[in-house]
């Protein structure tokens, strides 16, 4: 993104890029390594996807054993398989269970803040949205399967406090983001041909 911004500055005199779509979640926090700094430098906002991990960031998975992602009974989509793989690069299924439990405890702590009790999914999304460089989280739904409009709107009534952010940053940012960055490269590297 910075290469594009520098090229545009050199050739047309202004950046002109207003947004960049990247994967960003508590599991894949690679944007914090370099991307957020570039966004601030050039006034670019992020539109994030993968912030729900294809539905894996939900109470449905709390306390569950690791799924067999290729089992017909699980009915995993290719997208969910990709996010499961991200979890395994980030840590272990047990680590993920610890993160889900942390999200649930934060959600429970904030019950009463808005008209609906927040879910662990709301907490995960609020963490992404609280980065000033993020303009929006892109919500993928499957008609008739996973439309959670009212639940998703609940994120706007949720305010994480400093203690919540510290607890979530411990999961997302400490050694894990650097390890993921070293394994996968910068944002989008997994899509580039070698």
């Amino acid at each position: 993104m910075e290469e594009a911004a520098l090229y545009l500055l050199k050739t047309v005199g202004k950046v002109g890029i207003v947004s960049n779509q990247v994967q960003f979640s508590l599991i894949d926090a690679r944007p914090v390594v370099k991307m957020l700094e570039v966004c601030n430098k050039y006034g670019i906002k992020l539109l994030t996807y993968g912030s729900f991990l294809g539905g894996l960031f939900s109470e449905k998975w709390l306390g569950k054993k690791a799924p067999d992602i290729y089992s017909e009974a699980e009915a995993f989509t290719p997208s969910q398989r990709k996010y499961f793989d991200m979890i395994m690069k980030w840590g272990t299924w047990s680590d993920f269970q610890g993160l889900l439990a942390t999200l649930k405890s934060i959600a429970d702590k904030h019950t009463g803040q808005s008209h609906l009790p927040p879910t662990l999914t709301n907490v995960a999304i609020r963490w992404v949205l609280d980065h000033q460089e993020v303009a929006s989280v892109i919500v993928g739904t499957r008609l008739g399967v996973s439309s959670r409009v009212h639940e998703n709107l609940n994120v706007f009534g949720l305010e994480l406090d400093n203690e919540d952010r510290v607890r979530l940053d411990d999961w997302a940012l400490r050694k894990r983001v650097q390890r993921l960055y070293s394994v996968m490269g910068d944002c989008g590297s997994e899509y580039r041909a070698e």
Side-chain angles (χ1 to χ4, degrees):
M1 189 171 75
E2 186 163 36
E3 287 175 29
L6 290 171
Y7 175 81
L8 289 168
L9 278 172
K10 181 180 175 184
T11 57
V12 297
K14 62 181 181 176
V15 173
I17 301 170
V18 296
S19 66
N20 188 15
Q21 185 174 321
V22 296
Q23 185 169 292
F24 192 9
S25 71
L26 282 158
I27 295 296
D28 186 1
R30 289 178 295 160
V32 304
V33 178
K34 292 182 181 177
M35 183 69 66
L36 300 185
E37 180 182 332
V38 172
C39 286
N40 285 320
K41 186 174 181 180
Y42 299 102
I44 300 168
K45 293 292 187 178
L46 295 179
L47 307 176
T48 69
Y49 67 91
S51 303
F52 288 82
L53 294 182
L56 292 170
F57 265 140
S58 71
E59 292 181 24
K60 171 185 175 181
W61 293 101
L62 181 61
K64 302 288 187 200
K65 291 183 179 180
D68 176 356
I69 61 173
Y70 294 102
S71 162
E72 287 185 33
E74 293 288 355
F76 261 51
T77 65
S79 177
Q80 288 171 316
R81 287 186 194 111
K82 177 184 102 163
Y83 294 124
F84 180 84
D85 187 47
M86 289 298 302
I87 293 167
M88 295 300 105
K89 287 177 178 156
W90 168 85
T92 65
W93 187 255
S94 178
D95 293 333
F96 183 62
Q97 288 297 310
L99 174 55
L100 289 177
T102 299
L103 289 165
K104 175 74 170 125
S105 73
I106 292 170
D108 290 347
K109 171 181 152 183
H110 291 283
T111 296
Q113 245 187 35
S114 59
H115 68 286
L116 292 173
T119 65
L120 68 84
T121 307
N122 296 145
V123 175
I125 299 312
R126 182 78 261 162
W127 181 85
V128 173
L129 286 170
D130 280 351
H131 290 84
Q132 68 180 8
E133 302 83 3
V134 174
S136 180
V137 169
I138 298 169
V139 178
T141 62
R142 295 186 312 168
L143 291 176
V145 177
S146 64
S147 178
R148 298 193 181 339
V149 174
H150 297 291
E151 177 185 318
N152 292 339
L153 288 173
N154 199 34
V155 76
F156 298 109
L158 177 62
E159 289 184 39
L160 300 178
D161 60 31
N162 192 52
E163 177 190 347
D164 301 332
R165 282 188 285 282
V166 167
R167 290 177 69 194
L168 295 172
D169 288 354
D170 280 344
W171 282 106
L173 301 180
R174 302 300 174 247
K175 295 177 185 175
R176 293 177 195 277
V177 71
Q178 291 299 331
R179 182 174 67 231
L180 195 60
Y181 191 88
S182 69
V183 169
M184 296 188 69
D186 205 349
C187 302
S189 291
E190 63 270 28
Y191 302 112
R192 293 186 189 101
E194 300 217 7

